[in-house]
Amino acid sequence: MATYYHRAVQDLRDNGFLSSVTIITIALSVLIVSAFALFFTNANDLMNYWEKGIKIMAYLKPGTSQKNLHDIKRNIQEIYGVQDVTFISKEEAFKKLEQQMKRQSSILMNLNENPLPDALEIRMTTSSQRSEKVEEIATKIESMPSIEDIEYGQQWLRRFTNIFDLFRLAGYTMGGIFFIAAVFIMSNTIRLATYMRREEIEIMRLVGASEKFIKGPFYIESIIQGTLGGMGGIAALFITFRLISSTVENSFKYELFDIKFLSPEFYCGIILCSIFAGWSGCYISLKQFLRT
Amino acid sequence: MIDAKDNGSIIQLFHVHKYYGSKKALVDISLNVSKNEFIFISGPSGAGKSTLLRLLYLGEPVSEGQILVDGMNLSRISRKKIHLLRRKFGIVFQDYKLISTKTVFDNVALVLEASGKKRKFIEKKVRSVLRTVGIEQKINALPPGLSGGEQQRAAVARAVVGIPKIILADEPTGSLDSDSADIILNLLKNFHAHGGTVIVATHDKELIRKAGGRILHLKQGHLYFPG
Ligand SMILES: Nc1ncnc2c1ncn2[C@@H]1O[C@H](COP(=O)(O)OP(=O)(O)O)[C@@H](O)[C@H]1O
Ligand SMILES: [Mg+2]
């Protein structure tokens, strides 16, 4: 094993140009895939963050009695996924509105009657803070008697989530394609290396080297290249991330959300994939080439 | 079927033919080589000497016939086991077949590395063999920087370093002056004296005369046994 490693490093050094080209190409594939992954995990977190803010406002029909109100509150409370229900009287709502409008509040002064309805504010449990779940709960509430109208903020989220899912699918596909590309690149490099060294390989066979002895270093080389390429790609992404994240972060300053780099599990996974790509590329090309 | 277990043979050929297209390089060759024999295969250029040696280490398959080497039936050796056959041989190729990108040391060491020997042992052994063939000072040189004679001596060093059972030498003194040729011949004789089997293909009558041993003649693919 030690001698295989020794020979592999020797070969990498002897074929410096080819090895660096391979490592760089793999690094680029990894960079593209992981950049996508970085974008998606952050977009995903952002979506979750937005969804957390979702609440349902249910407006009551005018003249709903105190008893009815109590029943409705209880009924809503019983829906699966509802965290709590708060009553907001039209007076409270009016005060809030006054506060929000500040300077223009004089407009409200001219009203001789409070036009706002009584309302219920419904918050969802954490597990139900997803657009489709919210929509389901909202429909249930809407069908209740005494409910005049219903409103839940960020209805656009639903549509956005669908588009996002599509993007995610595209992301997975891209990841797959780049993985295959990396395997392909690797198998061609090894093929080229074995072709350039076919005389050497033939001589090794003639003096009694086993197939294992001949192939071992190629495997180690491709694993080294996969590792270096993977780490290089992640490192390049990290540097880019640090450079641009401060700028992007500024635009989110007022939200309690920060952009994160890929989790260690995730980028270690990517590096493992890149190592695996190296190994597979080697396997494929040796299987084809070293037959003769 | 063929049985080689009971006698002292190490190599047996049974009605071996080799064709290249319609060209008959070897015709109906049957031969027994006993353990610890020293054999010369003589004959003019193009007689089929190199071809005969190639068949022994499965450099090429036979067209017809059977070959046994040290209990192995060559027609039954799988790709994965072929190195076990090759390790029985130390081969001096007519065109040397040194790896041009590796130093003389690495070329010779390769044989020992391939059979899993320890680094320290390899270091010592390779140096001593290179000293014996007289190219110790070229240990770190690349083969293209060597003269024909030096390359040939490196090739001989590689053939003997692994202490094989059989040495096949194809024109091993072809590029050497007579003093250097003597060194190589003595090396082969020494190997033989320690129980090894040697087969030398050569058209060098002088070498055969000096060495003695069993002599076979190849002519246009036919093998003749003198006497
Ligand atoms: N690979 C080959 N393809 C076609 N003909 C070959 C090949 N190898 C050898 N020959 C022919 O077989 C004959 C024997 O060649 P060879 O064994 O090299 O002779 P020697 O070593 O005695 O000089 C020659 O006529 C040669 O041209
Ligand atoms: Mg010849």
Side-chain angles (χ1 to χ4, degrees):
Chain A
M1 199 62 202
T3 48
Y4 286 10
Y5 178 77
H6 183 81
R7 282 168 55 214
V9 172
Q10 186 79 40
D11 289 343
L12 282 176
R13 243 188 252 140
D14 292 351
N15 303 294
F17 180 72
L18 191 59
S19 329
S20 2
V21 169
T22 312
I23 293 171
I24 289 167
T25 329
I26 289 176
L28 284 177
S29 317
V30 166
L31 179 61
I32 293 168
V33 172
S34 57
F36 258 91
L38 182 61
F39 174 75
F40 280 109
T41 48
N42 277 294
N44 203 18
D45 286 354
L46 187 60
M47 299 271 297
N48 287 337
Y49 171 76
W50 278 336
E51 284 183 331
K52 280 214 173 71
I54 297 179
K55 56 190 177 190
I56 298 172
M57 295 299 290
Y59 300 107
L60 299 167
K61 284 182 181 154
T64 306
S65 71
Q66 200 63 32
K67 186 186 171 306
N68 270 348
L69 176 65
H70 188 75
D71 289 346
I72 289 169
K73 264 182 88 170
R74 216 191 45 228
N75 287 343
I76 292 175
Q77 193 72 66
E78 275 166 6
I79 298 173
Y80 179 78
V82 171
Q83 172 89 36
D84 56 49
V85 184
T86 327
F87 176 71
I88 298 169
S89 71
K90 56 186 179 182
E91 288 78 20
E92 270 177 78
F94 193 77
K95 255 187 221 147
K96 245 191 202 168
L97 193 61
E98 264 184 336
Q99 270 168 17
Q100 277 171 11
M101 291 181 79
K102 281 174 197 153
R103 269 159 208 271
Q104 291 88 349
S105 64
S106 57
I107 302 166
L108 299 174
M109 296 294 192
N110 297 331
L111 295 167
N112 43 22
E113 202 187 319
N114 179 357
L116 299 173
D118 288 328
L120 292 170
E121 188 183 285
I122 299 122
R123 292 189 172 278
M124 266 58 67
T125 56
T126 326
S127 61
S128 296
Q129 281 166 346
R130 286 175 294 116
S131 314
E132 61 270 27
K133 196 72 195 156
V134 171
E135 196 169 277
E136 198 185 305
I137 294 170
T139 332
K140 273 186 192 154
I141 295 172
E142 197 167 18
S143 63
M144 289 176 176
S146 301
I147 300 288
E148 175 132 283
D149 196 9
I150 199 153
E151 195 182 277
Y152 49 106
Q154 290 139 332
Q155 261 164 322
W156 53 272
L157 258 184
R158 179 66 199 266
R159 225 169 301 155
F160 195 77
T161 315
N162 288 340
I163 295 171
F164 186 72
D165 282 344
L166 209 67
F167 266 117
R168 202 192 326 247
L169 192 69
Y172 287 143
T173 318
M174 292 274 288
I177 289 170
F178 275 99
F179 178 79
I180 294 167
V183 171
F184 186 73
I185 292 161
M186 197 53 118
S187 73
N188 273 296
T189 320
I190 302 275
R191 205 192 312 260
L192 190 58
T194 48
Y195 182 75
M196 291 195 320
R197 288 158 56 187
R198 61 196 183 284
E199 187 206 13
E200 178 184 338
I201 291 170
E202 192 46 41
I203 291 171
M204 282 161 79
R205 283 192 175 133
L206 288 175
V207 302
S210 64
E211 294 299 292
K212 210 173 98 190
F213 180 84
I214 293 169
K215 289 177 180 175
F218 282 109
Y219 278 108
I220 293 174
E221 272 170 59
S222 57
I223 287 171
I224 291 174
Q225 288 173 329
T227 313
L228 291 181
M231 296 203 298
I234 295 290
L237 181 71
F238 185 70
I239 292 165
T240 323
F241 172 78
R242 288 311 278 276
L243 289 178
I244 62 171
S245 66
S246 50
T247 337
V248 179
E249 220 139 53
N250 273 340
S251 57
F252 282 109
K253 211 156 43 186
Y254 301 106
E255 309 219 29
L256 288 163
F257 178 78
D258 36 44
I259 309 168
K260 285 191 286 295
F261 193 62
L262 299 169
S263 70
E265 292 87 355
F266 202 103
Y267 63 71
C268 286
I270 289 183
I271 293 173
L272 279 181
C273 280
S274 131
I275 295 172
F276 183 63
W279 184 89
S280 331
C282 184
Y283 178 80
I284 292 169
S285 80
L286 289 187
K287 197 134 196 128
Q288 291 173 350
F289 189 81
L290 288 185
R291 280 183 183 287
T292 46
Chain B
M1 272 321 301
I2 310 150
D3 182 26
K5 289 266 150 59
D6 58 344
N7 56 30
S9 297
I10 192 161
I11 297 175
Q12 290 173 292
L13 286 82
F14 299 89
H15 303 288
V16 168
H17 297 252
K18 182 67 189 176
Y19 316 123
Y20 293 109
S22 58
K23 159 106 197 150
K24 292 181 175 176
L26 293 172
V27 184
D28 197 23
I29 292 187
S30 293
L31 170 66
N32 241 303
V33 178
S34 307
K35 279 180 187 140
N36 199 215
E37 259 196 294
F38 200 122
I39 295 186
F40 280 101
I41 298 172
S42 70
S45 178
K49 305 183 292 294
S50 299
T51 304
L52 180 57
L53 296 188
R54 271 201 302 276
L55 297 184
L56 298 181
Y57 59 84
L58 267 180
E60 291 178 291
V62 297
S63 303
E64 263 179 61
Q66 298 253 33
I67 299 179
L68 297 183
V69 174
D70 197 26
M72 291 177 103
N73 186 336
L74 267 50
S75 56
R76 299 192 175 191
I77 295 177
S78 73
R79 238 192 126 56
K80 284 217 165 94
K81 293 272 172 65
I82 208 163
H83 65 278
L84 298 176
L85 171 73
R86 303 252 166 96
R87 282 182 193 175
K88 294 180 188 298
F89 294 107
I91 309 169
V92 184
F93 300 95
Q94 190 166 11
D95 55 354
Y96 321 133
K97 292 203 193 298
L98 297 168
I99 299 169
S100 55
T101 53
K102 290 196 186 296
T103 62
V104 169
F105 178 90
D106 286 340
N107 266 283
V108 178
L110 178 62
V111 179
L112 301 174
E113 282 168 2
S115 57
K117 295 288 189 297
K118 292 237 160 48
R119 195 76 216 160
K120 251 190 167 156
F121 170 82
I122 294 174
E123 189 90 21
K124 234 176 77 189
K125 182 80 186 171
V126 172
R127 277 180 192 285
S128 105
V129 170
L130 289 177
R131 196 178 312 126
T132 314
V133 296
I135 52 165
E136 199 194 10
Q137 73 285 2
K138 301 282 180 178
I139 194 158
N140 290 316
L142 295 175
L146 302 179
S147 71
E150 285 165 339
Q151 289 188 46
Q152 191 150 45
R153 281 185 272 175
V156 172
R158 184 181 60 188
V160 299
V161 75
I163 316 179
K165 288 190 167 176
I166 308 155
I167 284 187
L168 303 179
D170 199 351
E171 312 282 3
T173 56
S175 317
L176 299 178
D177 55 81
S178 80
D179 283 352
S180 303
D182 285 348
I183 295 174
I184 300 301
L185 182 61
N186 285 332
L187 201 67
L188 294 177
K189 278 183 155 176
N190 190 35
F191 172 81
H192 176 242
H194 284 83
T197 307
V198 183
I199 302 178
V200 180
T202 185
H203 61 263
D204 183 352
K205 295 231 167 61
E206 175 69 11
L207 179 72
I208 297 171
R209 192 189 55 73
K210 271 195 280 193
R214 188 176 167 200
I215 302 165
L216 307 175
H217 287 294
L218 252 184
K219 216 178 205 174
Q220 293 179 333
H222 292 269
L223 191 63
Y224 300 94
F225 300 84

